Amino acid sequence: MARPTKALISKSAIIHNFNVVQQFAPHSKNLAIVKANAYGHGSIVVANILNPLVNAFGVSCIEEALEIRNAGVDKPILLLEGVFSKDEIAVAADNDFWIMISNQLQSKWLVESRISKAINVWLKVDTGMHRLGLMNEEAIKVYAELNNSNNVNEGIVLATHFSSADEQDYQDTKIQIQKFKQVQSSLINHLNSDAKIQCSVANSAAIMAWPDSRLEWNRPGFMLYGNSPLLSESNYADKLKPAMTMQSEIISIRSIEKGESVGYNKVWTAERQSKIATVAIGYGDGYPQSAKSGTPTLVNGVIAPLAGKVSMDMITIDVTDISNVSVGATVILWGEGLSVNEVAKCSNTSGYEILARLPNRTPTVLVE
């Protein structure tokens, strides 16, 4: 027997969601984002599923890249944060890793390195996120340095990142697109060339909500895992299928009287005679400790609200209005029928954080 808490990872849902990405932008190439253990879904598992379908992968650092390369993934892998030391450049060259250049120091390291073969480079420009990236004139200078280096392959990709693409009514994304096009135009004028520069600006939210951002390369991440990145309601969200279903089982049921409390600090008190079920999952398994009473779970397809504080290993839910509930019944915490975004909203966090913080204690099980 084993503790019943587990995350079911659907191979068919991941493939379906990638096909949705292609429907939004059929003429773009796709860099699938599998950083942070593929948003908790398992980077090796997801990368192997998508390896025959995508053009390349994106990770945050060289350790993540090596993990999936050593697992047999043969597509190019982009280091989204670039390199953190000069010695990583040789490793990147030997393993067909692409490098995002975000500052002049990274460019200097690359140009000065002695490496086995040239590297594909993406150049990040700062159009308003103000986190990483080069400003206009600085970007033109660094692009020229890289373009003239024998260590860099032809076809440098110009990239940026949006700060607010998830807000469909927010005009900042339009401004960032305009700024990006200005950098692109300035660069073309500087090069005195008619050659087209490949570009990448669209993350999941932009792919879904900002058609002007769907350029040569897109970078789908959150939507690959079946969750909408948009803050407002969207019909597009219905196209996606959750790739992870977090589930556990009821391990105890008890009846309590009106006025009795449940869990730590008595934050939930019964307003009627109630039936309370204890479920084998807690914040030690990745369920958010900040989840408030009333956060939905699903039992027999019916909502059973959280009752009381989340413990390290258990939660308690109100199943008073659900018939035929017994010990051993499956409880869905998020996934099919219950969006992780809804759980996140009740927990003052985001679906991104809940998924990415899934701990090693919670096993993932691949299903078709």
Side-chain angles (χ1 to χ4, degrees), residues 284-344:
D285 306 291
Y287 194 83
Q289 187 183 25
S290 57
K292 302 172 184 175
S293 291
T295 300
T297 72
L298 289 179
V299 178
N300 297 338
V302 180
I303 289 178
L306 187 69
K309 278 191 174 182
V310 176
S311 305
M312 182 180 289
D313 310 306
M314 291 171 281
I315 62 171
T316 42
I317 59 176
D318 185 353
V319 294
T320 307
D321 297 324
I322 304 176
S323 59
N324 300 319
V325 176
S326 60
V327 170
T330 297
V331 181
I332 303 298
L333 291 313
W334 62 75
E336 189 173 356
L338 177 60
S339 169
V340 70
N341 288 336
E342 188 171 352
V343 178

Side-chain angles (χ1 to χ4, degrees), residues 38-328:
Y39 295 56
H41 292 69
S43 57
I44 292 174
V45 168
V46 173
N48 275 304
I49 291 171
L50 292 176
N51 193 50
L53 304 175
V54 302
N55 302 96
F57 291 96
V59 298
S60 67
C61 58
I62 206 159
E63 290 85 359
E64 290 183 336
L66 286 168
E67 181 181 27
I68 61 174
R69 176 67 81 234
N70 293 336
V73 172
D74 59 7
K75 291 293 175 65
I77 304 169
L78 174 65
L79 309 179
L80 291 164
E81 291 182 59
V83 294
F84 299 96
S85 60
K86 188 174 181 178
D87 62 295
E88 291 184 355
I89 293 171
V91 179
D94 291 342
N95 288 277
D96 194 24
F97 297 158
W98 299 353
I99 297 178
M100 181 80 79
I101 298 293
S102 300
N103 57 57
Q104 293 194 44
L105 180 58
Q106 289 176 329
S107 176
K108 182 174 182 289
W109 285 342
L110 178 52
V111 170
E112 293 178 352
S113 290
R114 295 183 178 180
I115 51 180
S116 58
K117 58 182 178 180
I119 290 176
N120 283 38
V121 167
W122 289 38
L123 183 66
K124 176 169 278 189
V125 297
D126 183 1
T127 57
M129 182 76 170
H130 299 327
R131 191 178 61 179
L132 292 176
L134 299 149
M135 304 306 286
N136 195 336
E137 294 302 320
E138 189 181 26
I140 292 172
K141 176 179 178 292
V142 170
Y143 187 100
E145 291 174 355
L146 295 168
N147 202 41
N148 292 328
S149 172
N150 291 329
N151 286 342
V152 178
N153 284 322
E154 292 184 3
I156 297 171
V157 177
L158 198 66
T160 196
H161 193 61
F162 295 129
S163 67
S164 310
D166 53 353
E167 300 182 60
Q168 294 170 266
D169 297 327
Y170 195 50
Q171 296 302 304
D172 191 59
T173 301
K174 287 184 179 180
I175 295 171
Q176 283 195 255
I177 292 173
Q178 290 170 359
K179 287 182 177 180
F180 183 83
K181 289 180 177 179
Q182 289 169 4
V183 175
Q184 182 187 20
S185 178
S186 297
L187 189 54
I188 291 172
N189 290 336
H190 180 80
L191 295 173
N192 293 318
S193 171
D194 293 329
K196 184 170 177 60
I197 298 174
Q198 292 191 76
C199 297
S200 174
V201 300
N203 57 5
S204 289
I207 291 168
M208 293 178 67
W210 299 93
D212 288 349
S213 73
R214 302 167 193 160
L215 304 177
E216 287 78 21
W217 281 91
N218 293 326
R219 307 189 303 272
F222 197 50
M223 69 182 298
L224 285 176
Y225 307 103
N227 306 293
S228 173
L230 304 178
L231 296 184
S232 58
E233 292 295 324
S234 169
N235 292 332
Y236 297 145
D238 295 337
K239 295 176 178 287
L240 302 171
K241 294 182 179 180
M244 178 191 293
T245 295
M246 176 67 78
Q247 67 177 47
S248 189
E249 292 179 5
I250 293 172
I251 58 173
S252 177
I253 298 175
R254 69 199 61 246
S255 293
I256 64 171
E257 298 299 320
K258 179 181 179 180
E260 291 188 307
S261 298
V262 175
Y264 289 120
N265 305 121
K266 298 184 177 182
V267 299
W268 186 91
T269 300
E271 297 180 352
R272 57 177 176 166
Q273 186 178 49
S274 302
K275 186 164 57 175
I276 299 298
T278 302
V279 185
I281 192 168
Y283 60 81
D285 306 291
Y287 194 83
Q289 187 183 25
S290 57
K292 302 172 184 175
S293 291
T295 300
T297 72
L298 289 179
V299 178
N300 297 338
V302 180
I303 289 178
L306 187 69
K309 278 191 174 182
V310 176
S311 305
M312 182 180 289
D313 310 306
M314 291 171 281
I315 62 171
T316 42
I317 59 176
D318 185 353
V319 294
T320 307
D321 297 324
I322 304 176
S323 59
N324 300 319
V325 176
S326 60
V327 170

